[in-house]
Amino acid sequence: MSTPYRNLEEEEFSVDSAGSQSSASKFSTDEDGSSPPDVEVVGMRDFSSIGGARSKGIRGKVRRKACLALAVVSVLVLLVIILIVKLSPKGDSGDAFPWDDIRLPGNLVPSEYKIFLHPDLGKKVVSGSVTIQITAVETTDSILIHAATMDFSKTVLRKKGSSDSIEINQPPKFSKNLSMAYLDLSRTLEKGGAYELVIEFSYNLTDCLRGLYVSSYMEGNATKVIGSTQMEPLSAREAFPCFDEPGMRAKFSLELVHKPRYNVTLFNMPKKKETEPYPVDTSLSNHLCR
């Protein structure tokens, strides 16, 4: 009796003259010598076209995924470039700022500050001046100092004990991102040299709880306005130009002008003296830069 199934044990292989392998399988046949139909179907079916189509489909999917990954990487690279350009320190005028570190270079060290502040709480403006005694620990031809959201009206630099000023080549450059001002000097400061830097400045008062700011409180039905300060951790630069880093400690003296109706001024150090009334001529140049 014939069987329609392939006998794996009787399968024979031979190699033709072209070197390709062919299979010659022995099957049992019916009495008339014909192969069973189902055996013929299995033995003669060509799977190459199916495998080729499947391979093309896989390659197409791989190409699509690769293109998508390349597009995503390109977008990310573009975003990084835009971010770098936007965060690169620039002067407030749009020019490149000469310094890109959030820390000061450390080539100048302050030893003493004399600060003069004249706040007008009604107009919400401050005018002031600061005289800083500094020492050059390295030679330098520039000064970097913290100063946030303020304008400089006058800048004077001179060697200690000398009346000759060291010229500043151009107006100060400011970086809003770094809260710094850059002064380009006409000559190099000597290592170990002692210098005096005087800056006159002004800015608008806000209620942002940084530096010198305006706040208020209620007393009955009346609103009382006061000027307050917050210098830590990085807010002294909001009140006056300074080397605003913990490692640059120095002595301070403060002179504050206020109107008579603001009859209370509080400090965290003993008051040296009080002048009343304040001289009519409040010109900063006459006050500190003489």
Side-chain angles (χ1 to χ4, degrees), residues 255-271:
E255 185 173 355
L256 181 69
V257 178
H258 65 89
K259 294 183 178 181
R261 70 174 181 269
Y262 302 120
N263 56 4
V264 177
T265 55
L266 300 176
F267 299 87
N268 61 359
M269 292 294 288
K271 185 187 300 183

Side-chain angles (χ1 to χ4, degrees), residues 271-275:
K271 185 187 300 183
K272 282 189 174 182
K273 65 178 180 179
E274 183 171 354
T275 302

Side-chain angles (χ1 to χ4, degrees), residues 146-254:
H146 288 115
T149 61
M150 62 181 66
D151 297 319
F152 291 1
S153 56
K154 187 173 182 179
T155 307
V156 178
L157 177 66
R158 51 182 168 251
K159 193 167 185 179
K160 195 170 183 179
S162 173
S163 58
D164 295 334
S165 297
I166 299 173
E167 185 180 352
I168 297 172
N169 290 329
Q170 54 190 346
K173 291 184 178 181
F174 294 90
S175 170
K176 186 176 181 181
N177 291 338
L178 297 175
S179 298
M180 289 183 186
Y182 175 85
L183 308 177
D184 184 31
L185 308 179
S186 60
R187 68 173 189 254
T188 301
L189 303 186
E190 302 171 0
K191 182 178 180 180
Y195 300 88
E196 182 178 79
L197 175 63
V198 181
I199 302 174
E200 295 181 3
F201 58 91
S202 62
Y203 57 89
N204 295 323
L205 282 171
T206 68
D207 57 358
C208 291
L209 308 182
R210 296 192 302 267
L212 175 59
Y213 62 94
V214 174
S215 58
S216 61
Y217 65 95
M218 297 299 297
E219 189 175 275
N221 294 327
T223 300
K224 301 291 185 178
V225 178
I226 61 175
S228 304
T229 59
Q230 172 60 45
M231 302 297 182
E232 294 181 346
L234 301 173
S235 296
R237 64 192 69 178
E238 306 266 356
F240 55 92
C242 57
F243 298 87
D244 193 13
E245 292 188 1
M248 296 186 177
R249 297 180 179 274
K251 296 179 180 179
F252 288 81
S253 63
L254 172 63

Side-chain angles (χ1 to χ4, degrees), residues 88-133:
S88 295
K90 294 185 180 297
D92 291 350
S93 61
D95 300 331
F97 194 69
W99 188 251
D100 60 1
D101 198 333
I102 60 172
R103 300 291 300 273
L104 295 172
N107 50 12
L108 297 171
V109 176
S111 58
E112 184 179 353
Y113 291 82
K114 289 184 179 180
I115 307 162
F116 170 79
L117 294 175
H118 188 178
D120 188 325
L121 301 184
K123 296 181 180 179
K124 293 186 177 181
V125 294
V126 176
S127 56
S129 179
V130 60
T131 301
I132 313 174
Q133 306 299 325

